Coordinates of all heavy atoms in Angstrom, one line a residue:
M29 N 100.8 104.3 130.8 CA 101.3 105.2 131.7 C 101.1 104.7 133.1 O 101.9 104.9 134.0 CB 100.8 106.6 131.5 CG 101.5 107.7 132.2 SD 103.2 107.8 131.6 CE 103.6 109.4 132.2
K30 N 99.9 104.2 133.4 CA 99.5 103.7 134.7 C 100.4 102.5 135.1 O 100.7 102.4 136.2 CB 98.0 103.3 134.7 CG 97.5 103.0 136.0 CD 96.0 102.7 136.0 CE 95.5 102.4 137.3 NZ 94.1 102.1 137.3
T31 N 100.7 101.7 134.1 CA 101.6 100.5 134.4 C 103.0 101.0 134.8 O 103.5 100.4 135.8 CB 101.7 99.6 133.1 OG1 100.4 99.3 132.7 CG2 102.5 98.4 133.4
I32 N 103.5 102.0 134.2 CA 104.9 102.5 134.6 C 104.8 103.1 136.0 O 105.7 102.8 136.8 CB 105.3 103.6 133.6 CG1 105.5 102.9 132.2 CG2 106.6 104.3 134.0 CD1 105.8 103.9 131.1
K33 N 103.8 103.8 136.3 CA 103.7 104.3 137.7 C 103.6 103.2 138.7 O 104.2 103.3 139.8 CB 102.5 105.3 137.8 CG 102.7 106.6 137.1 CD 101.4 107.5 137.3 CE 101.6 108.8 136.6 NZ 100.4 109.7 136.8
S34 N 102.8 102.2 138.4 CA 102.7 101.0 139.3 C 104.0 100.3 139.5 O 104.4 99.9 140.6 CB 101.7 100.0 138.7 OG 100.4 100.6 138.6
V35 N 104.8 100.2 138.4 CA 106.1 99.5 138.5 C 107.0 100.4 139.4 O 107.7 99.8 140.2 CB 106.7 99.3 137.1 CG1 108.2 98.9 137.2 CG2 105.9 98.3 136.3
Y36 N 107.0 101.7 139.2 CA 107.9 102.5 140.0 C 107.5 102.5 141.5 O 108.3 102.4 142.4 CB 107.8 104.0 139.5 CG 108.6 104.3 138.3 CD1 108.1 105.1 137.3 CD2 109.9 103.8 138.1 CE1 108.8 105.4 136.2 CE2 110.6 104.0 137.0 CZ 110.1 104.8 136.0 OH 110.8 105.1 134.9
L37 N 106.2 102.4 141.7 CA 105.7 102.3 143.1 C 106.1 101.0 143.7 O 106.6 101.0 144.9 CB 104.2 102.5 143.1 CG 103.5 102.4 144.5 CD1 104.0 103.6 145.3 CD2 102.0 102.5 144.3
V38 N 106.0 99.9 143.0 CA 106.4 98.6 143.5 C 107.9 98.6 143.8 O 108.4 98.1 144.8 CB 106.0 97.5 142.6 CG1 106.7 96.2 143.0 CG2 104.5 97.4 142.5
E39 N 108.7 99.2 142.9 CA 110.2 99.3 143.1 C 110.5 100.1 144.3 O 111.4 99.7 145.1 CB 110.8 99.9 141.8 CG 110.9 98.9 140.6 CD 111.5 99.6 139.4 OE1 111.9 100.7 139.5 OE2 111.6 98.9 138.4
I40 N 109.9 101.2 144.5 CA 110.2 102.0 145.6 C 109.8 101.3 146.9 O 110.5 101.3 147.9 CB 109.4 103.4 145.5 CG1 110.1 104.2 144.4 CG2 109.4 104.1 146.8 CD1 109.3 105.5 144.1
L41 N 108.7 100.6 146.9 CA 108.2 99.9 148.1 C 109.2 98.8 148.4 O 109.6 98.6 149.6 CB 106.8 99.3 147.8 CG 106.2 98.5 148.9 CD1 106.0 99.3 150.2 CD2 104.9 97.8 148.5
L42 N 109.7 98.0 147.4 CA 110.6 97.0 147.6 C 112.0 97.5 148.1 O 112.6 96.9 149.1 CB 110.8 96.1 146.4 CG 109.6 95.3 145.9 CD1 109.9 94.6 144.6 CD2 109.3 94.2 147.0
L43 N 112.4 98.6 147.6 CA 113.7 99.2 148.0 C 113.6 99.7 149.5 O 114.5 99.5 150.3 CB 114.1 100.3 147.1 CG 114.6 99.9 145.7 CD1 114.8 101.1 144.9 CD2 115.9 99.1 145.9
T44 N 112.4 100.2 149.8 CA 112.2 100.7 151.2 C 112.2 99.6 152.1 O 112.8 99.6 153.2 CB 110.9 101.5 151.2 OG1 110.9 102.6 150.3 CG2 110.7 102.0 152.6
L45 N 111.5 98.5 151.8 CA 111.4 97.3 152.7 C 112.8 96.7 152.8 O 113.2 96.2 153.9 CB 110.4 96.3 152.2 CG 109.0 96.8 152.3 CD1 108.0 95.8 151.6 CD2 108.6 96.9 153.7
A46 N 113.6 96.6 151.7 CA 114.9 96.0 151.8 C 115.8 96.8 152.6 O 116.7 96.3 153.4 CB 115.4 95.9 150.3
S47 N 115.7 98.1 152.6 CA 116.6 98.9 153.4 C 116.3 98.9 154.9 O 117.1 99.1 155.7 CB 116.6 100.4 152.9 OG 115.4 101.0 153.1
C48 N 115.0 98.6 155.2 CA 114.6 98.6 156.6 C 114.9 97.2 157.2 O 114.9 97.1 158.4 CB 113.1 98.8 156.7 SG 112.7 100.5 156.2
S49 N 115.2 96.2 156.4 CA 115.3 94.9 156.9 C 116.7 94.6 157.6 O 116.8 93.8 158.4 CB 115.1 93.8 155.8 OG 116.2 93.9 154.9
K50 N 117.7 95.5 157.3 CA 119.0 95.3 157.9 C 119.1 96.2 159.2 O 119.1 97.4 159.1 CB 120.1 95.7 156.9 CG 120.1 94.9 155.7 CD 121.1 95.4 154.7 CE 121.1 94.6 153.4 NZ 122.0 95.1 152.4
Q51 N 119.1 95.5 160.3 CA 119.2 96.2 161.5 C 120.6 96.2 162.0 O 121.2 95.1 162.1 CB 118.2 95.6 162.6 CG 116.8 95.9 162.3 CD 115.9 95.4 163.4 OE1 116.4 94.8 164.4 NE2 114.6 95.5 163.2
K52 N 121.1 97.3 162.4 CA 122.5 97.3 162.9 C 122.4 97.6 164.4 O 121.9 98.6 164.8 CB 123.3 98.4 162.2 CG 123.5 98.2 160.8 CD 124.4 99.2 160.2 CE 124.7 98.9 158.7 NZ 125.5 99.9 158.1
N53 N 122.8 96.7 165.2 CA 122.9 96.8 166.6 C 124.3 97.1 167.1 O 124.6 96.9 168.2 CB 122.3 95.5 167.3 CG 120.8 95.4 167.0 OD1 120.1 96.4 166.8 ND2 120.4 94.2 166.9
Q54 N 125.2 97.4 166.2 CA 126.6 97.7 166.5 C 126.9 99.1 166.5 O 126.3 99.9 165.7 CB 127.5 96.9 165.6 CG 127.3 95.4 165.5 CD 128.1 94.8 164.4 OE1 128.8 95.5 163.7 NE2 128.1 93.5 164.4
Y55 N 127.7 99.5 167.4 CA 128.2 100.9 167.4 C 129.6 101.0 167.0 O 130.4 100.1 167.4 CB 128.0 101.5 168.9 CG 126.6 101.6 169.3 CD1 126.0 100.7 170.1 CD2 125.8 102.7 168.9 CE1 124.7 100.8 170.5 CE2 124.5 102.8 169.3 CZ 124.0 101.9 170.2 OH 122.7 102.0 170.5
A56 N 130.0 102.0 166.3 CA 131.4 102.2 166.0 C 132.1 102.7 167.2 O 131.5 103.5 168.0 CB 131.5 103.2 164.8
S57 N 133.3 102.3 167.3 CA 134.1 102.8 168.5 C 135.4 103.5 167.9 O 136.0 103.0 167.0 CB 134.4 101.7 169.4 OG 135.2 100.7 168.8
I58 N 135.7 104.6 168.5 CA 136.9 105.3 168.1 C 137.6 105.7 169.4 O 137.0 105.8 170.5 CB 136.6 106.5 167.3 CG1 135.7 107.5 168.0 CG2 136.0 106.2 165.9 CD1 135.5 108.8 167.3
S59 N 138.9 106.0 169.3 CA 139.7 106.3 170.4 C 139.3 107.8 170.9 O 138.7 108.6 170.1 CB 141.2 106.3 170.1 OG 141.5 107.2 169.2
E60 N 139.7 108.1 172.1 CA 139.4 109.4 172.6 C 140.1 110.5 171.8 O 139.6 111.6 171.5 CB 139.7 109.5 174.1 CG 139.3 110.8 174.7 CD 139.6 110.9 176.2 OE1 139.7 109.8 176.8 OE2 139.6 112.0 176.8
S61 N 141.4 110.2 171.4 CA 142.1 111.2 170.7 C 141.5 111.4 169.3 O 141.5 112.5 168.8 CB 143.6 110.7 170.5 OG 143.7 109.5 169.8
E62 N 141.0 110.3 168.6 CA 140.3 110.5 167.3 C 139.1 111.3 167.5 O 138.7 112.1 166.6 CB 140.0 109.1 166.7 CG 139.5 109.2 165.3 CD 139.3 107.8 164.7 OE1 139.6 106.8 165.4 OE2 138.9 107.8 163.5
L63 N 138.3 111.1 168.6 CA 137.1 111.8 168.8 C 137.4 113.3 169.0 O 136.8 114.2 168.4 CB 136.4 111.3 170.1 CG 135.1 112.1 170.5 CD1 134.1 112.1 169.4 CD2 134.6 111.6 171.8
N64 N 138.5 113.6 169.8 CA 138.9 115.0 170.0 C 139.3 115.6 168.7 O 139.0 116.8 168.4 CB 140.0 115.1 171.0 CG 139.5 114.9 172.4 OD1 138.4 115.2 172.7 ND2 140.4 114.3 173.3
D65 N 140.0 114.9 167.8 CA 140.4 115.4 166.5 C 139.2 115.7 165.6 O 139.1 116.8 165.0 CB 141.3 114.3 165.8 CG 141.8 114.8 164.5 OD1 142.5 115.9 164.5 OD2 141.6 114.2 163.5
K66 N 138.2 114.8 165.7 CA 137.0 115.1 164.9 C 136.2 116.3 165.4 O 135.7 117.1 164.6 CB 136.1 113.8 164.9 CG 136.7 112.7 164.1 CD 135.7 111.5 164.1 CE 136.3 110.4 163.3 NZ 136.3 110.6 161.9
I67 N 136.1 116.5 166.7 CA 135.4 117.6 167.3 C 136.2 118.9 166.9 O 135.6 119.9 166.5 CB 135.3 117.5 168.8 CG1 134.4 116.3 169.2 CG2 134.9 118.8 169.5 CD1 134.3 115.9 170.6
K68 N 137.5 118.9 167.0 CA 138.3 120.1 166.7 C 138.1 120.4 165.2 O 138.0 121.6 164.8 CB 139.7 119.9 167.0 CG 140.0 119.9 168.5 CD 141.5 119.6 168.8 CE 141.7 119.5 170.3 NZ 143.1 119.2 170.7
G69 N 138.1 119.4 164.4 CA 137.9 119.6 162.9 C 136.6 120.2 162.6 O 136.4 121.1 161.8
A70 N 135.5 119.7 163.3 CA 134.2 120.2 163.1 C 134.1 121.6 163.5 O 133.5 122.5 162.8 CB 133.2 119.3 163.8
W71 N 134.7 121.9 164.7 CA 134.6 123.3 165.2 C 135.4 124.2 164.3 O 134.9 125.3 164.0 CB 135.2 123.3 166.6 CG 135.1 124.6 167.2 CD1 136.1 125.6 167.4 CD2 133.9 125.2 167.7 NE1 135.6 126.7 168.0 CE2 134.2 126.5 168.2 CE3 132.6 124.8 167.8 CZ2 133.3 127.4 168.8 CZ3 131.7 125.7 168.4 CH2 132.0 126.9 168.8
A72 N 136.6 123.8 163.8 CA 137.3 124.6 162.9 C 136.5 124.9 161.6 O 136.5 126.0 161.1 CB 138.7 124.0 162.5
G73 N 135.9 123.8 161.0 CA 135.1 124.0 159.8 C 133.9 124.9 160.0 O 133.6 125.8 159.2
K74 N 133.3 124.9 161.2 CA 132.2 125.8 161.5 C 132.7 127.2 161.6 O 132.1 128.1 161.0 CB 131.6 125.4 162.8 CG 130.4 126.2 163.2 CD 129.7 125.6 164.4 CE 128.4 126.4 164.7 NZ 127.5 125.7 165.5
M75 N 133.8 127.4 162.2 CA 134.4 128.8 162.4 C 134.8 129.4 161.0 O 134.6 130.5 160.7 CB 135.5 128.8 163.4 CG 135.1 128.6 164.8 SD 133.9 129.8 165.4 CE 132.3 128.8 165.3
I76 N 135.4 128.5 160.2 CA 135.8 129.0 158.9 C 134.6 129.3 158.1 O 134.6 130.4 157.4 CB 136.7 127.9 158.2 CG1 138.0 127.7 158.9 CG2 136.9 128.2 156.7 CD1 138.8 126.5 158.5
G77 N 133.6 128.5 158.2 CA 132.3 128.9 157.5 C 131.7 130.2 157.9 O 131.2 131.0 157.1
V78 N 131.8 130.4 159.2 CA 131.3 131.7 159.8 C 132.1 132.9 159.2 O 131.5 133.9 158.8 CB 131.3 131.7 161.3 CG1 131.1 133.1 161.9 CG2 130.3 130.7 161.9
M79 N 133.4 132.7 159.2 CA 134.2 133.9 158.8 C 134.1 134.1 157.2 O 134.1 135.2 156.8 CB 135.7 133.6 159.1 CG 135.9 133.6 160.6 SD 135.3 135.1 161.4 CE 136.3 136.4 160.7
K80 N 134.0 133.0 156.5 CA 133.9 133.2 155.0 C 132.5 133.6 154.6 O 132.3 134.3 153.6 CB 134.2 131.8 154.3 CG 135.7 131.4 154.5 CD 136.6 132.3 153.9 CE 136.9 132.0 152.5 NZ 137.9 132.8 151.8
G81 N 131.5 133.3 155.4 CA 130.1 133.7 155.1 C 129.7 135.0 155.6 O 128.6 135.4 155.3
I82 N 130.5 135.6 156.4 CA 130.1 136.9 157.0 C 129.7 138.0 156.0 O 128.8 138.8 156.2 CB 131.1 137.4 158.0 CG1 130.5 138.4 159.0 CG2 132.3 138.0 157.3 CD1 131.3 138.6 160.2
E83 N 130.4 138.0 154.9 CA 130.1 139.0 153.9 C 128.7 138.8 153.2 O 128.1 139.7 152.6 CB 131.2 139.1 152.9 CG 131.5 137.8 152.1 CD 132.8 137.8 151.4 OE1 133.8 138.4 152.0 OE2 132.9 137.3 150.3
M84 N 128.2 137.6 153.3 CA 126.9 137.3 152.6 C 125.8 137.2 153.7 O 124.6 137.0 153.3 CB 127.0 135.9 151.9 CG 128.0 135.9 150.8 SD 127.7 137.0 149.5 CE 126.3 136.2 148.7
E85 N 126.1 137.3 154.9 CA 125.2 137.0 156.0 C 123.9 137.7 155.9 O 122.8 137.1 156.0 CB 125.8 137.3 157.4 CG 125.0 136.9 158.6 CD 125.0 135.4 158.8 OE1 125.9 134.7 158.3 OE2 124.0 134.9 159.3
F86 N 123.9 139.0 155.7 CA 122.6 139.8 155.8 C 122.3 140.5 154.4 O 121.6 141.4 154.3 CB 122.7 140.9 156.9 CG 122.8 140.3 158.2 CD1 124.1 140.2 158.8 CD2 121.7 139.7 158.9 CE1 124.2 139.7 160.1 CE2 121.9 139.2 160.1 CZ 123.1 139.1 160.7
K87 N 122.8 139.9 153.3 CA 122.6 140.5 152.0 C 121.1 140.4 151.6 O 120.5 141.3 151.0 CB 123.4 139.8 150.9 CG 124.9 140.1 151.1 CD 125.3 140.9 150.0 CE 126.8 141.2 150.2 NZ 127.4 142.0 149.3
A88 N 120.4 139.3 152.0 CA 119.0 139.1 151.6 C 118.1 140.2 152.3 O 117.2 140.8 151.7 CB 118.5 137.7 151.9
A89 N 118.3 140.4 153.6 CA 117.5 141.4 154.3 C 118.0 142.8 154.1 O 117.2 143.7 154.2 CB 117.5 141.1 155.8
G90 N 119.2 143.0 153.8 CA 119.8 144.3 153.5 C 120.2 145.1 154.8 O 120.6 146.2 154.7
E91 N 120.0 144.5 155.9 CA 120.4 145.1 157.2 C 120.7 144.1 158.2 O 120.3 143.0 158.2 CB 119.3 146.1 157.7 CG 118.0 145.3 158.0 CD 116.9 146.3 158.4 OE1 116.6 147.2 157.6 OE2 116.3 146.1 159.5
T92 N 121.5 144.5 159.2 CA 121.9 143.6 160.3 C 121.0 143.9 161.5 O 120.3 144.9 161.6 CB 123.3 143.8 160.7 OG1 123.5 145.2 161.2 CG2 124.3 143.5 159.6
Y93 N 120.9 142.9 162.3 CA 120.1 143.0 163.5 C 121.0 143.5 164.6 O 121.9 142.8 165.1 CB 119.5 141.6 163.9 CG 118.5 141.7 165.0 CD1 117.2 142.1 164.8 CD2 118.9 141.3 166.3 CE1 116.3 142.2 165.9 CE2 118.0 141.3 167.4 CZ 116.7 141.8 167.1 OH 115.8 141.8 168.2
E94 N 120.7 144.7 165.1 CA 121.6 145.4 166.0 C 121.2 145.2 167.5 O 122.1 145.3 168.4 CB 121.7 146.9 165.7 CG 122.2 147.2 164.4 CD 123.7 146.8 164.2 OE1 124.5 146.7 165.1 OE2 124.1 146.5 163.0
D95 N 120.0 144.9 167.8 CA 119.5 144.7 169.2 C 120.0 143.4 169.7 O 120.4 142.5 169.0 CB 118.0 144.8 169.2 CG 117.5 146.2 168.9 OD1 118.2 147.2 169.1 OD2 116.3 146.2 168.4
S96 N 120.0 143.3 171.1 CA 120.3 142.1 171.7 C 119.1 141.1 171.5 O 118.0 141.5 171.3 CB 120.6 142.3 173.2 OG 119.4 142.7 173.8
I97 N 119.5 139.8 171.5 CA 118.4 138.8 171.4 C 118.1 138.2 172.8 O 119.0 137.7 173.4 CB 118.9 137.7 170.5 CG1 119.2 138.3 169.1 CG2 117.9 136.6 170.4 CD1 119.8 137.3 168.1
P98 N 116.9 138.4 173.3 CA 116.6 137.9 174.6 C 116.6 136.4 174.6 O 116.0 135.8 173.7 CB 115.2 138.5 174.9 CG 114.6 138.8 173.6 CD 115.8 139.1 172.7
W99 N 117.2 135.8 175.6 CA 117.3 134.4 175.7 C 117.4 134.0 177.2 O 118.1 134.6 177.9 CB 118.5 133.8 174.9 CG 118.4 132.3 174.9 CD1 117.8 131.5 174.0 CD2 119.0 131.4 175.9 NE1 118.0 130.2 174.4 CE2 118.7 130.1 175.5 CE3 119.8 131.6 177.0 CZ2 119.1 129.0 176.2 CZ3 120.2 130.5 177.7 CH2 119.9 129.2 177.3
H100 N 116.6 132.9 177.5 CA 116.7 132.3 178.8 C 116.3 130.9 178.6 O 115.5 130.6 177.7 CB 116.0 133.0 179.9 CG 114.6 133.4 179.5 ND1 113.5 132.6 179.7 CD2 114.1 134.5 178.9 CE1 112.4 133.2 179.2 NE2 112.8 134.4 178.8
P101 N 116.8 129.9 179.4 CA 116.5 128.5 179.2 C 115.0 128.1 179.1 O 114.6 127.2 178.5 CB 117.1 127.8 180.4 CG 118.2 128.7 180.8 CD 117.7 130.1 180.5
E102 N 114.1 128.9 179.8 CA 112.7 128.6 179.8 C 112.1 128.7 178.4 O 111.0 128.2 178.1 CB 112.0 129.5 180.8 CG 112.3 129.2 182.2 CD 113.6 129.8 182.6 OE1 114.1 130.8 182.1 OE2 114.2 129.2 183.6
I103 N 112.7 129.4 177.5 CA 112.2 129.6 176.1 C 112.2 128.2 175.4 O 111.3 128.0 174.6 CB 113.1 130.6 175.3 CG1 113.0 132.0 175.9 CG2 112.7 130.6 173.9 CD1 113.9 133.0 175.3
I104 N 113.1 127.4 175.7 CA 113.2 126.1 175.1 C 112.4 125.1 175.8 O 112.5 125.0 177.1 CB 114.7 125.6 175.0 CG1 115.5 126.7 174.2 CG2 114.8 124.3 174.3 CD1 117.0 126.4 174.3
E105 N 111.6 124.3 175.1 CA 110.8 123.3 175.7 C 111.6 122.2 176.4 O 112.7 121.9 175.9 CB 109.8 122.7 174.7 CG 108.8 123.6 174.1 CD 108.0 122.9 173.1 OE1 107.8 121.7 173.1 OE2 107.4 123.7 172.3
R106 N 111.1 121.7 177.5 CA 111.7 120.5 178.2 C 113.1 120.8 178.6 O 114.0 119.9 178.5 CB 111.6 119.3 177.3 CG 110.2 118.9 177.0 CD 110.2 117.6 176.2 NE 111.0 117.7 175.0 CZ 110.5 117.8 173.7 NH1 109.2 117.9 173.6 NH2 111.3 117.9 172.7
T107 N 113.5 122.0 179.1 CA 114.8 122.2 179.5 C 115.0 122.0 181.1 O 116.1 122.0 181.6 CB 115.3 123.6 179.2 OG1 114.4 124.6 179.7 CG2 115.4 123.8 177.7
S108 N 113.9 121.9 181.7 CA 114.0 121.8 183.2 C 113.8 120.3 183.6 O 113.5 119.4 182.9 CB 112.9 122.6 183.9 OG 111.6 122.3 183.4

């Protein structure tokens, strides 16, 4: 059993090292219209998820949060 664990450990180590050896210094480039299309698609997907998930939103807690949530930029670290 110890031998099998050692083999798995070596395999994981080799796979990790192999995956780290390929450095990509290239960036993908897309047109501005394609970027806008992707942003609009992501936004639409997020909004659809919000609307479809609303009926499940507070089922675990059993109640909604009715008060306002206080927020100002100083709450977040390193915003200034």
Side-chain angles (χ1 to χ4, degrees):
M29 190 68 160
K30 188 176 179 181
T31 305
I32 293 173
K33 287 182 181 179
S34 297
V35 169
Y36 283 139
L37 182 63
V38 169
E39 286 178 0
I40 290 172
L41 180 64
L42 289 175
L43 288 173
T44 303
L45 290 174
S47 67
C48 293
S49 66
K50 298 177 183 177
Q51 292 183 1
K52 293 184 179 181
N53 293 330
Q54 299 175 357
Y55 294 98
S57 61
I58 59 173
S59 67
E60 186 174 342
S61 63
E62 187 176 359
L63 175 62
N64 285 331
D65 182 56
K66 289 180 179 293
I67 291 171
K68 288 176 184 177
W71 185 256
K74 184 173 185 159
M75 292 301 103
I76 291 167
V78 166
M79 294 307 297
K80 295 297 271 184
I82 199 162
E83 57 197 38
M84 300 297 288
E85 186 73 25
F86 297 101
K87 292 251 180 182
E91 60 186 56
T92 58
Y93 186 78
E94 299 294 334
D95 294 334
S96 63
I97 299 172
W99 184 88
H100 47 89
E102 292 78 26
I103 293 174
I104 301 173
E105 294 179 22
R106 300 183 303 258
T107 56
S108 55

